[in-house]
Each structure stands twice: as structure tokens, then as C-alpha cells.
Amino acid sequence: MIGLDILHKLLDRLVARSPKRARARAERLSKAAPERALALFVAAAEAGDAEAAFIVGERYLEGKGALAHPVSAARWYQLAAEAGHVEAQCRLAALHLFGVPKAAVGTDERLFESADSDAPDYHAAVVWAKKAAETGAPDAQAMLAFILSSGPEELRDPDAAFEWYRKSAAQDCPQGRLGYAIALMLRTDIANNALMARDELLRASEAGLPTAHYLLGAAAEGGFGTALDEAEARRLYSLAAEAQHIAAQIKLGLMLLEGRGGPVDPLNGESWLRRAAVAGESEAAMHLGELYSRGGTLPPNYIEAAHWFRTAAEQGHQAAARALGTLYLTGAGVARDPDEAAAWFKRAAEAGDTVAQADLAVLLQDGGVTTLDNRDLPVHEWFERAAEQGDLIGAFNYAVCLAEGIGVPRNDARAAFWLKKAADEVVSAQYWYGRMLADGRGLDQDDREAAVWFERAADDGMADAQVALGEFYLQGRGVPYDPEAAKSRFLSAAEAGHSGAMFALGIMHNDGTIIGSDHDEARRWFSRAAEQDHSGAALMLARYAAQGLGGPKDVEAARVWYDRAAALCAQGAAEELATLDLKLTEEAKAQVETEMA
């Protein structure tokens, strides 16, 4: 007796002799016996049935009746496409354009979304898309328009793209409507283009396209072509975000965090940003880093901030690399490491981040970086280009490079030239230019002009300039001798935390010839400056404690401050400490002899 399986195979073999009957039997067996159905479809395709060849391509793409094999799917699509099968031509164009889409995904869900393919073949795609488009297939028309508007430069034809989008939209293709809306937005030669574009977007959104929801949300948020309505924008962004539209997830996250268009919702706002960041969006990771670094609706968490800044920076985000460098410089959320800070500043600087270039230059000037050599970095080149393009911050930084010999030979004259240009707006440049005038570096010494520039920077709140101007008032350089004016400037700088200003105030109160002696006040200012490791203040505080000036005599405190002053390289501190110890020893010896007598 013949087995049932053998009978089925014999029947399939007999039917396979007729392509039409083979395909009909395959369709009946599709659900119950997918493997047998695939074999019959193959037989029909090999006999010249284009529809069967298309179905075989679908089966290999879906993994139905055989293991999924995109390359085999493409071969069968090509066989059908060459026979004039329009759907196969569309599918083949999509494979060339987007790589291998998910099972049974058509072009409707792929245009205007991120492609999975590492290297789309636009030239092959345009051939098959055009063949199908010319038959009137709306999906192919939208795809062809996309290639002509967004493909390689040599394939672009904006006018032709506009027409193909219009034809696709006229057939109510959602992707065609979306593309036509975007094309309309870019045309200024069409009356009521904004209204027409909005109508097309609304129709595309009704088909559920997330990009249409996103664009409508952006229009509502900014009041473009419609009334400003943040609540509506939030609703539309939510629809797009739920459909995995990454840009919408970022927008929605920010609106929730800021309470725009509805109540503040920090937890869900952070969650949407996190989803986008996990999906690989560096801008979302940057926003998360900023969220956790500044605090606000969520408590600051520098460890979390460092993680997200690193995530974004490793994806090439310039500002995130700079922010991560700042965390390493300050030791917030990570171990303080100037070398690591310099490495991240360097990455951002080489990508063109001008702020990072300035940060790196300052870090190199201050020293403490051991892994980078100034000679290996084109720091001066960055700043020179910026300066020549009229960037005053760049001009200032280039001047510093010239003045300090960073990357270029020291050139005081050129440094003074660029400082003068930058000084029109940059406060630090005003101070530096004043210093060059006061020291006669790169130009003739001119105390009067130096005082003018110090005053400009001081009036803008720069502490170093306040101190420099105060010193000029005490010395009568470029300005009349005026101790009270000097004191006022030193007080302003001291309030900003300038230890040199605190020391200067201590000296003024110590010396009775300037503003009158006040040892209590002098000791207070010396103490504040010494706590900030000012070597001269530590030495003066030691002397005050040893002599009991401005407070009780405290030999042990004096010894501590002498030690600190010596460690800070204060001249004479070690010798004075030795003298103090010798004096104490002699006093102790004399006391013993007195008691014995």
C-alpha cells in the first residue's frame, strides 16, 4: 500500500508539470504544508510564472517553508522583476535602498525612517523604482521621489522628485503624501504651500505614519502654519514616540521634563530620553547627561551624568565629549584626572568644538597634563583660523598661545595685536592687554593705558583685574595714589574668592602707614587667604600667631602655619620656624635654670 507522504509527493510532481496548476495547489497548501507549497511555487517560477517567483522571494524573506535567506529572496525577486512584475520591482528597489527589511515590510514603513543597511545601493534601487513607478505603482513613485530628493548628488533631481511625490500622493499613498508635504514645505513658489503641506501631513498621519505625527507636532509646538498649541504638540509627539520615532521621543521627553503642554512629569520624561539614548541617539544621551549634571526636577547624579555623557561622546557628540572632560577636570562623578579631561577635550576640539579648544588650551597652560604634548596639537591653528574669521574668543586664545609659546614660538608683538582686537568684547583679553601694557611686552610700556584696560575688566567683575587695579592705586601707577580706592578694589576681588586680594587687605591693615593699623582685621584676612594656600598669607599668619598679634599667642598654631608656608615654598618660612623652635628651647632652658636656682 502506498504511503500518504509518497502519494502527496507523486501528486505534487504531477501537478508541477503545469505552472498554473502548481501555483494553484501551492496556494491551497500554503498554511497546511508550507514546505510542499514552497517547492510547488519554485516549480512554477522556474517554468516562467512571474507571480510564483515573487511569492518564492516573499517566502525566503519571511522564512516561510524554508529558513529565511534574504539573498535567495533577492534572486527570486529579480527573476519576477525582469518579467515585469511590479510588486517584485518595488521589493527589489527597497532591498537595494534599505537593506533587508523585517519580514513582509513594505516601503510604507521604511521611507523617512532610519535605514538598517550599512551601504544602500541607490543606483540599483533607482532603476527598479523607476520601472515600477512608470507603471503607476504609488509606493514605487514615493520611493523614486525619495531617491531623487535624498540620494547621492549625482542622482538628485528636486523637480522630478516633486512630481513623483505629487503623483504618489494623488493615489492616496501615505508615504507619497508625507513626501509631498515635505516637498511643499521647501517650495516658496507655490501659493498656500504651508496649508497644502499641512493637509497632506494630516492625511498621512491618518494612515499612522509616525513621521507625519512628528512633523505635525513640531508645527504645533512652534506655531508653524497653525496656532501654537503645546498640548497638541505633546499629544502628537506621544503618538510618534510610541511608534518608535526617536526624534519624537526626545521632544516628548523634554516637554514632559519642562512641563510644556501639560503637567511636569520627570519620571516619564527621563524614560523617553532614555529609550532614545538606548536606541543609539547621541542627542538623547547628551540631554540625559545634562539632566543629571544640573539637577532640578530630578536630583543631580554625576555618576549617571558621566555615563550618559560618555555614551554620547563615544558616538561622536562634540558637546558631550567636552562635558565629560569637565567632569574629569572637576572630579564630579568620576575620579579627578586632568589627563583624561584633556583627552576628551582633545576629541571635541578636533571635531571643531571651539569651547573645547579653549578649555584644552587653558588646561595645557595650567600644566598638570602629562599625556599630551603641545607640539602634537594644532591648538594655535584652531584659534588662528577662528581669529582670522572674526571670532573674538578665538582671537583671545590665539593671543594667549602667542604670549605663552603654546604650539608656536613666543611672539609678544603679535599677541598684543590680537589681544587688542579681542579686548573690544572679551573681558579676559582686556586684562591681558592691560598686563602687556604694564609690563611693556610686545608694545611700549604705558601705565596710564594699562590702568584704563584694567578698569574696564574690573568693572565687568574680573577679580584679577580688580587686584591689578588695586595695586596700581597703591603704587600710583597710571592713576593717582589712592589707598581707599585700592581697598575697595581688593574687597570686590576678595568677595569673589581671590586669595591674592585677601592677602593684600591683610598687608594694608598690618601696615599702619597705608590705612591705619588693625591687627585683628589683618589676621582675619591672612587667615582667609592662608586657607586657600596663599604662601605669603600662611607665613604672615604664622608670625601673628607666634607674636600674639590680632588674637591670642598660639605657638602650636604658629608652628603649623610655618610648616604650611614652607610646604608652599614661602621664602624664609623654614628659617623662621627653626628660629622659633630655638627660641622656645632657650626659654625652656632658662625656665629650668630659674626653677633650680
Side-chain angles (χ1 to χ4, degrees):
M1 184 176 178
I2 300 176
L4 189 60
D5 287 344
I6 296 174
L7 186 61
H8 284 160
K9 288 179 181 178
L10 288 172
L11 185 59
D12 290 347
R13 195 174 300 167
L14 288 171
V15 170
R17 295 175 183 175
S18 167
K20 185 176 179 180
R21 293 174 61 192
R23 178 153 62 91
R25 180 168 176 76
E27 289 170 351
R28 290 197 299 271
L29 292 172
S30 288
K31 291 185 179 179
E35 288 116 353
R36 289 172 57 198
L38 179 59
L40 288 167
F41 280 130
V42 168
E46 289 175 340
D49 189 322
E51 179 65 22
F54 171 72
I55 294 172
V56 174
E58 294 284 88
R59 296 302 173 93
Y60 273 112
L61 192 63
E62 298 169 5
K64 190 174 181 180
L67 292 175
H69 198 282
V71 175
S72 294
R75 284 201 298 267
W76 288 105
Y77 285 141
Q78 176 126 0
L79 184 64
E82 288 172 347
H85 194 286
V86 175
E87 275 192 273
Q89 292 169 349
C90 289
R91 193 73 86 233
L92 195 57
L95 281 170
H96 283 301
L97 185 57
F98 301 118
V100 181
K102 295 178 182 177
V105 170
T107 59
D108 277 359
E109 298 176 17
R110 297 302 302 279
L111 285 182
F112 309 103
E113 307 296 337
S114 58
D116 296 331
S117 174
D118 290 332
D121 188 344
Y122 287 98
H123 291 80
V126 77
V127 171
W128 293 110
K130 188 173 183 180
K131 285 181 180 292
E134 288 173 343
T135 69
D139 288 349
Q141 292 170 344
M143 199 184 319
L144 177 59
F146 176 77
I147 297 170
L148 295 176
S149 61
S150 304
E153 192 63 38
E154 65 271 17
L155 292 179
R156 292 191 183 184
D157 187 341
D159 292 333
F162 184 84
E163 278 304 305
W164 283 115
Y165 273 137
R166 186 187 61 76
K167 290 178 180 180
S168 179
Q171 296 189 66
D172 202 24
C173 172
Q175 281 293 1
R177 289 193 179 280
L178 177 58
Y180 189 41
I182 295 172
L184 281 167
M185 292 177 195
L186 301 175
R187 297 288 289 260
T188 58
D189 58 336
I190 298 176
N192 298 321
N193 66 321
L195 292 175
M196 292 172 64
R198 178 171 173 76
D199 182 62
E200 294 294 339
L201 283 176
L202 287 169
R203 299 290 293 275
S205 70
E206 289 168 2
L209 292 188
T211 302
H213 287 131
Y214 169 74
L215 291 175
L216 286 169
E221 182 185 13
F224 305 126
T226 184
L228 191 150
D229 188 341
E230 290 189 331
E232 178 65 3
R234 186 158 156 170
R235 184 188 73 82
L236 290 163
Y237 285 146
S238 180
L239 290 172
E242 293 287 356
Q244 310 306 316
H245 193 288
I246 293 178
Q249 292 174 345
I250 297 173
K251 286 283 193 177
L252 179 59
L254 294 175
M255 291 193 85
L256 291 168
L257 287 169
E258 296 164 9
R260 291 189 292 117
V264 174
D265 189 346
L267 294 180
N268 280 316
E270 192 272 354
S271 177
W272 280 114
L273 288 178
R274 187 178 290 266
R275 288 194 201 186
V278 170
E281 178 51 56
S282 63
E283 193 64 30
M286 177 64 186
H287 282 303
L288 283 171
E290 290 178 328
L291 174 65
Y292 280 108
S293 64
R294 69 171 181 261
T297 53
L298 292 175
N301 183 332
Y302 291 108
I303 295 176
E304 193 78 0
H307 166 74
W308 290 114
F309 282 143
R310 185 185 302 278
T311 298
E314 288 174 348
Q315 293 171 5
H317 198 291
Q318 298 174 19
R322 169 167 39 88
L324 184 59
T326 301
L327 292 185
Y328 273 108
L329 191 60
T330 59
V334 291
R336 188 177 183 280
D337 187 340
D339 287 321
E340 190 71 8
W344 287 107
F345 285 150
K346 177 175 179 285
R347 183 180 296 200
E350 289 177 338
D353 189 301
T354 56
V355 178
Q357 291 169 357
D359 290 342
L360 180 59
V362 171
L363 187 56
L364 292 172
Q365 291 166 24
D366 292 343
V369 176
T370 61
T371 57
L372 292 182
D373 189 333
N374 292 350
R375 294 169 296 182
D376 297 333
L377 292 171
V379 175
H380 63 287
E381 294 177 8
W382 299 333
F383 296 142
E384 184 176 15
R385 282 197 297 271
E388 290 174 347
Q389 292 169 7
D391 183 339
L392 296 184
I393 297 293
F396 167 67
N397 286 310
Y398 182 46
V400 173
C401 289
L402 291 166
E404 299 294 312
I406 299 174
V408 289
R410 177 170 160 173
N411 189 325
D412 289 342
R414 290 194 70 201
F417 169 79
W418 286 110
L419 283 172
K420 178 69 181 297
K421 281 188 173 295
D424 286 337
E425 293 183 17
V426 181
V427 175
S428 295
Q430 294 166 1
Y431 167 72
W432 272 71
Y433 188 59
R435 279 261 70 95
M436 300 288 277
L437 286 163
D439 299 340
R441 286 182 55 188
L443 31 70
D444 293 335
Q445 185 182 22
D446 188 336
D447 287 345
R448 186 182 299 276
E449 186 69 10
V452 170
W453 287 105
F454 284 152
E455 186 169 20
R456 283 188 61 178
D459 288 344
D460 281 329
M462 187 178 186
D464 284 336
Q466 299 273 12
V467 173
L469 187 57
E471 290 173 349
F472 265 37
Y473 275 119
L474 279 182
Q475 299 164 13
R477 290 183 60 185
V479 290
Y481 173 74
D482 190 339
E484 288 300 327
K487 179 181 177 182
S488 175
R489 293 296 181 176
F490 289 145
L491 282 171
S492 295
E495 288 170 1
H498 196 292
S499 61
M502 297 172 190
F503 176 70
L505 287 166
I507 292 296
M508 291 183 75
H509 287 291
N510 174 71
D511 188 345
T513 63
I514 301 177
I515 56 172
S517 178
D518 187 339
H519 288 148
D520 288 347
E521 191 68 2
R523 186 165 181 166
R524 185 175 73 84
W525 284 114
F526 288 144
S527 178
R528 287 186 60 180
E531 287 169 358
Q532 293 192 35
D533 287 338
H534 190 287
S535 60
L539 179 59
M540 291 299 295
L541 189 57
R543 291 170 178 170
Y544 266 54
Q547 299 173 36
L549 296 174
K553 183 175 180 177
D554 189 335
V555 174
E556 288 306 316
R559 184 179 280 109
V560 169
W561 284 111
Y562 272 129
D563 278 335
R564 175 80 70 86
L568 294 171
C569 301
Q571 187 174 1
E575 291 80 358
E576 289 189 29
L577 176 59
T579 300
L580 175 65
D581 287 338
L582 178 61
K583 181 180 179 182
L584 291 173
T585 300
E586 290 176 349
E587 288 178 353
K589 181 179 178 181
Q591 179 67 26
V592 170
E593 290 175 350
T594 300
E595 291 175 354
M596 290 178 66

